[in-house]
Amino acid sequence: MPTLVTRFDITGTSSEVPAARRTIVEKTRAWGVALDDDTACTVGVVASELVTNAVVHTTGAVTISLYHQPGRLLIDVLDTSSDAPLAHEAGVEEEHGRGMGLVGTLAARTGWQHVERGKRVWAEIALPKPPPTPACCCPAPVLRGAIGTVRPPRAAAAFP
């Protein structure tokens, strides 16, 4: 199956994070992925953390790309900062600093790379695989019609 891709830009403000998260989950469902509640939550949390990091630690537009193949979703966030994303141990009383740790825990794989005008941070999430396609794709009425016309075989001659 080919990779399904979509991209969208946000201006880079924190008020856009909830809408970006919803767009990512909705687009994944629009591709026909049957997201259970846990997987939808995982996609939403990972999306929120990646997008939030981009808008909090950079200035300017942020480009979000989604890549889907059966069984996996890649969320890719491009921002204007060349600073590496950092995962660190947040203290019990700290309100910030857990985002990349959450992404690392929830995602099957994650990474980042420098690009010409900033960096790209990505996370791959395991998705439920679609059920296998049945070998016979005939509609039920066609099958019923065919079965209705089949006659039982005549009695065969006895074996010698």
Side-chain angles (χ1 to χ4, degrees), residues 10 13-22 47-49 51-53 55:
I10 60 174
T13 62
S14 59
S15 64
E16 295 172 291
V17 174
R21 176 183 60 242
R22 280 190 305 276
S48 285
E49 294 303 334
V51 175
T52 297
N53 271 359
V55 301

Side-chain angles (χ1 to χ4, degrees), residues 22-104:
R22 280 190 305 276
T23 299
I24 291 167
V25 171
E26 289 168 3
K27 184 59 180 178
T28 303
R29 284 188 167 130
W31 281 329
V33 177
L35 292 178
D36 57 39
D37 290 343
D38 288 343
T39 308
C41 183
T42 296
V43 169
V45 169
V46 170
S48 285
E49 294 303 334
L50 293 178
V51 175
T52 297
N53 271 359
V55 301
V56 167
H57 299 291
T58 67
T59 59
V62 173
T63 300
I64 301 162
S65 302
L66 304 176
Y67 302 88
H68 172 260
Q69 289 183 336
R72 63 189 200 147
L73 174 70
L74 186 85
I75 302 171
D76 180 291
V77 178
L78 176 67
D79 64 43
T80 58
S81 171
S82 60
D83 294 338
L86 300 175
H88 71 278
E89 295 287 326
V92 175
E93 299 296 320
E94 290 182 76
E95 293 184 24
H96 304 285
R98 293 175 181 83
M100 291 312 293
L102 278 171
V103 170

